Amino acid sequence: MIQTSEAVRNTATLNVDQIRDDFPVLGRMINGMPLAYLDNAASSQSPRQVIDAVKRYHEFHHSNVHRGVHTLSQEATGLYEEAREKIRAFLNASSLKEIIFTSGTTDGVNLVASSFVEERLNEGDEILITHLEHHSNIVPWHILCERKKAKLRVLPINDNGEIILDNLDDYLTSRTRIVGVNHISNALGTINPVKKIVEAAHRKNIPVIVDGAQATPHEIVDVQDLGCDFYAISGHKMYGPTGIGVLYGRQELLEQMRPYRSGGDMILSVSFDKVVYNELPYRFEAGTPPIAQAIGLGAAADYINSIGKEAIRNYENMLLDYATRKLGEIPQVRFIGTAKDKASLVSFVIDGVHPHDVGTILDGEGIAVRTGHHCAQPVMERFSIPATTRASFAFYNTTEEIDRLVAGVRKVIEVFDA
Amino acid sequence: MLNTHTKNLYQDVILDHNKKPRNYKVLEGHSHMAHGDNPLCGDKLDVYLTVDENNVVVDVSFIGDGCAISKASASMMTTMVKGKPIDEVETLFHEFHKMSTGKLDPDAEPNHLGRLKIFAGVRDLPARVKCATLAWHTLDAALKGERIVSTE
Ligand SMILES: Cc1ncc(COP(=O)(O)O)c(C=O)c1O
């Protein structure tokens, strides 16, 4: 995206104090200290606007969708479908038929694996992913490849944690049935050149699924501009509820796909001899969906839009630069993941101190960070480490919180004499 | 300085065992061994034992990677069980496990934990209990003839 002067103006108007007031949990004390929540890549907090939208549904509109002629059911259906429209606009999909509610990114990947790739994958075929993937974009493909005697191939990454594209064309073969790539790496923060990968794959008519779990809270996502075939996201990573996600799929492909799970709602008519499947997107939404959560996710999209994606990105970039500079002043801190294009998270190790000890000591100071392999064990292996400490920022974080993180890390080093 | 919970846990003794683990080696000619894994943390360790014909642990060692809690716990375990008969080792394992999960107050109830009491602080940190107990579970598995144990 081009940075406009408008975006710069927006940064100036991002009022963090006011934003923080929208997030009830940020007022909590943890171990006697104000919570500094720096684990947004694992799950981000919800603003009152999201919590209230869910609450209102439960208090006034609760009922099933698409099934009743009574008032509540019509209201619930209206709210649920309104949420779908909000997400369509948020991702800039061209049609509501392309927006399928799932339980999250994991569910979206599994849907594509079982309804799209499975019947197209034969012995000796290939699935291409990257070394940066989250387990949710590895394991479904691994299982499928094992069952079909197909081959899982992996695009390598360099020492900065960037995908190496030099030999991309060699990895895209006549046997490649799908490419899976994450938009932003949750372990390292790398923003991947998804559009480039899509273009290369499409030149050979290979479809691409993008794991967008980490991108929706930070990036302007435009599925038409990216050109990808599938895009999977999770509500709880973008200030929405847990248990809800969205799979965007190009209509042309969705039309050809077999149902995923089966039961009520995904059919038009049922007899014991014959079942007629419902139209898109309902064909892929069997059973009563997570209605309250979908409504909450719609409210989360509204909330992000109300702050403005450009303003969010500029502010978060400032936090990233600040954290990188301040932590970088500590000689014992070694960053893992130093891509040129990075989302607002820092992953690091301190030689001689295990990340879990770092995490426990920081928690004692009220600072929530994630320590571990971040469901990306191949990434850890690539850098020959068991785990990292990861601080991931949202637009409600402040430089003061980063100062506390830095002080906490210095304390760890002192205690461990590292 | 550190918050009380973390201070209780990260005492000098634990930090010292983390830095200079005792009996940190592969035990040549061992009679028992097992591999322990804590998949959540990525902690991994191997425990080796030599048990003689009188069922006494005459030698014990470990190697592995992990956080300070798991490493110090393994190190102190080896210093505690060396020279003890197996039944006493099993008693220690059970007492250690109960203390770590808050089911035994080592200052109020009779026990044989001695200097292992230093790990009592993990009961306040549920996410870290498995770090402290991994070495003991692995030792228990080795004595029972199981070669692989996972704390998940
Ligand atoms: C990059 C990435 N992909 C996929 C996932 C899985 O998301 P979920 O657990 O919501 O299905 C996550 C979250 O952990 C992630 O960070």
Side-chain angles (χ1 to χ4, degrees):
Chain A
M1 278 311 283
I2 303 152
Q3 291 205 357
T4 59
S5 55
E6 156 112 32
V8 176
R9 268 206 309 283
N10 276 341
T11 320
T13 59
L14 192 146
N15 185 339
V16 179
D17 286 340
Q18 195 185 324
I19 287 171
R20 287 181 72 86
D21 284 343
D22 289 335
F23 291 79
V25 76
L26 297 181
R28 267 198 73 173
M29 301 292 282
I30 302 291
N31 294 318
M33 299 290 288
L35 167 67
Y37 189 77
L38 306 180
D39 191 19
N40 296 285
S43 205
S44 50
Q45 301 296 342
S46 286
R48 211 177 289 284
Q49 288 82 340
V50 168
I51 298 166
D52 286 350
V54 173
K55 187 163 169 266
R56 252 193 325 276
Y57 164 78
H58 286 301
E59 286 181 348
F60 297 107
H61 310 293
H62 179 107
S63 62
N64 216 323
V65 291
H66 306 138
R67 288 179 192 182
V69 293
H70 63 78
T71 304
L72 292 194
S73 177
Q74 290 179 48
E75 286 172 0
T77 304
L79 289 164
Y80 181 69
E81 292 305 326
E82 194 178 282
R84 194 190 307 276
E85 166 55 24
K86 287 175 184 179
I87 298 301
R88 184 207 61 75
F90 191 82
L91 298 177
N92 194 32
S94 56
S95 161
L96 284 167
K97 294 185 170 162
E98 303 183 315
I99 302 297
I100 299 162
F101 282 120
T102 63
S103 70
T105 304
T106 305
D107 193 29
V109 177
N110 276 280
L111 193 163
V112 173
S114 88
S115 292
F116 181 70
V117 180
E118 178 168 5
E119 61 186 354
R120 289 165 175 77
L121 191 73
N122 294 307
E123 189 171 338
D125 283 347
E126 295 168 6
I127 289 173
L128 180 63
I129 59 172
T130 84
H131 208 126
L132 269 185
E133 299 312 306
H134 185 279
H135 292 167
S136 64
N137 205 17
I138 301 174
V139 183
W141 307 124
H142 175 83
I143 291 175
L144 202 52
C145 284
E146 210 167 54
R147 259 201 13 240
K148 297 283 192 140
K149 298 196 174 68
K151 199 168 161 207
L152 186 61
R153 299 192 68 194
V154 183
L155 272 175
I157 54 176
N158 65 22
D159 291 342
N160 296 326
E162 298 163 311
I163 301 172
I164 301 172
L165 294 177
D166 298 351
N167 301 318
L168 176 58
D169 252 355
D170 300 335
Y171 281 90
L172 298 166
T173 73
S174 59
R175 305 303 301 262
T176 312
R177 294 293 166 257
I178 193 149
V179 177
V181 57
N182 61 29
H183 197 161
I184 295 180
S185 152
N186 67 307
L188 306 182
T190 316
I191 303 175
N192 294 312
V194 169
K195 194 170 172 178
K196 232 172 163 167
I197 293 172
V198 170
E199 281 166 3
H202 281 187
R203 275 196 292 275
K204 299 183 175 176
N205 293 319
I206 302 167
V208 178
I209 175 169
V210 179
D211 163 359
Q214 294 293 337
T216 44
H218 305 295
E219 277 291 294
I220 297 161
V221 176
D222 180 335
V223 290
Q224 295 187 69
D225 179 57
L226 288 175
C228 58
D229 301 277
F230 301 99
Y231 197 95
I233 65 173
S234 295
H236 69 99
K237 310 251 189 213
M238 51 178 285
Y239 315 103
T242 56
I244 184 79
V246 167
L247 176 73
Y248 156 82
R250 274 206 303 120
Q251 187 172 343
E252 185 193 336
L253 299 184
L254 292 177
E255 303 274 14
Q256 306 164 20
M257 284 160 55
R258 289 187 305 171
Y260 175 39
R261 289 190 301 250
S262 51
D265 259 5
M266 50 79 69
I267 41 74
L268 275 183
S269 69
V270 176
S271 70
F272 291 115
D273 305 322
K274 188 171 162 57
V275 170
V276 181
Y277 300 128
N278 204 341
E279 59 194 41
L280 293 175
Y282 310 108
R283 189 187 304 167
F284 295 101
E285 294 179 2
T288 300
I291 304 165
Q293 291 77 2
I295 294 167
L297 178 57
D302 283 346
Y303 189 82
I304 293 172
N305 289 335
S306 76
I307 297 177
K309 290 182 186 175
E310 297 255 7
I312 289 172
R313 199 163 54 164
N314 290 330
Y315 181 76
E316 289 180 349
N317 278 343
M318 184 276 291
L319 291 179
L320 173 65
D321 290 346
Y322 188 76
T324 307
R325 184 156 53 81
K326 288 290 180 178
L327 283 170
E329 286 167 5
I330 306 175
Q332 291 89 340
V333 167
R334 182 158 60 91
F335 291 112
I336 306 294
T338 47
K340 267 201 295 297
D341 248 346
K342 245 185 92 169
S344 58
L345 71 81
V346 285
S347 223
F348 60 94
V349 294
I350 302 168
D351 288 323
V353 189
H354 194 282
H356 282 104
D357 298 314
V358 180
T360 295
I361 289 176
L362 291 178
D363 182 59
E365 311 293 313
I367 304 165
V369 294
R370 178 72 180 269
T371 57
H373 52 59
H374 316 295
C375 292
Q377 281 176 337
V379 176
M380 301 297 115
E381 205 181 285
R382 168 67 177 72
F383 290 93
S384 307
I385 47 175
T388 74
T389 301
R390 180 188 71 188
S392 51
F393 312 114
F395 50 70
Y396 46 62
N397 290 127
T398 63
T399 51
E400 288 77 20
E401 288 175 322
I402 293 172
D403 288 339
R404 284 175 56 200
L405 168 70
V406 172
V409 168
R410 288 189 188 276
K411 210 173 253 189
V412 169
I413 289 167
E414 188 191 316
V415 169
F416 278 84
D417 194 18
Chain B
M1 257 321 284
L2 291 182
N3 157 290
T4 341
H5 283 346
T6 42
K7 200 161 58 201
N8 283 344
L9 196 54
Y10 292 100
Q11 299 181 42
D12 289 344
V13 179
I14 288 183
L15 295 170
D16 179 64
H17 274 269
N18 172 50
K19 253 202 159 140
K20 293 178 295 211
R22 322 293 197 267
N23 303 305
Y24 190 82
K25 61 181 178 203
V26 177
L27 193 62
E28 298 299 334
H30 58 268
S31 57
H32 297 71
M33 82 81 65
H35 174 77
D37 248 328
N38 181 347
L40 193 70
C41 305
D43 292 351
K44 292 181 199 323
L45 55 85
D46 292 335
V47 171
Y48 301 89
L49 298 132
T50 304
V51 180
D52 71 6
E53 65 281 5
N54 301 319
N55 278 336
V56 171
V57 175
V58 290
D59 209 353
V60 53
S61 74
F62 85 103
I63 53 166
D65 273 324
C67 63
I69 307 301
S70 75
K71 232 167 159 179
S73 175
S75 172
M76 289 181 70
M77 176 186 80
T78 61
T79 66
M80 280 294 281
V81 305
K82 202 185 275 195
K84 285 203 169 58
I86 285 184
D87 52 348
E88 286 181 30
V89 171
E90 290 294 331
T91 303
L92 269 181
F93 165 57
H94 291 301
E95 289 180 356
F96 188 86
H97 193 260
K98 278 165 76 178
M99 172 183 73
S100 310
T101 48
K103 296 192 190 93
L104 182 146
D105 179 349
D107 291 324
E109 297 163 72
N111 63 76
H112 309 80
L113 290 164
R115 59 183 183 274
L116 297 177
K117 283 199 276 192
I118 198 166
F119 289 98
V122 294
R123 67 180 167 219
D124 299 320
L125 299 164
R128 307 306 301 277
V129 171
K130 284 173 178 167
C131 307
T133 56
L134 177 63
W136 287 92
H137 280 294
T138 311
L139 172 109
D140 181 55
L143 289 174
K144 290 191 172 125
E146 300 158 9
R147 294 185 66 85
I148 295 191
V149 60
S150 164
T151 57
E152 272 311 283

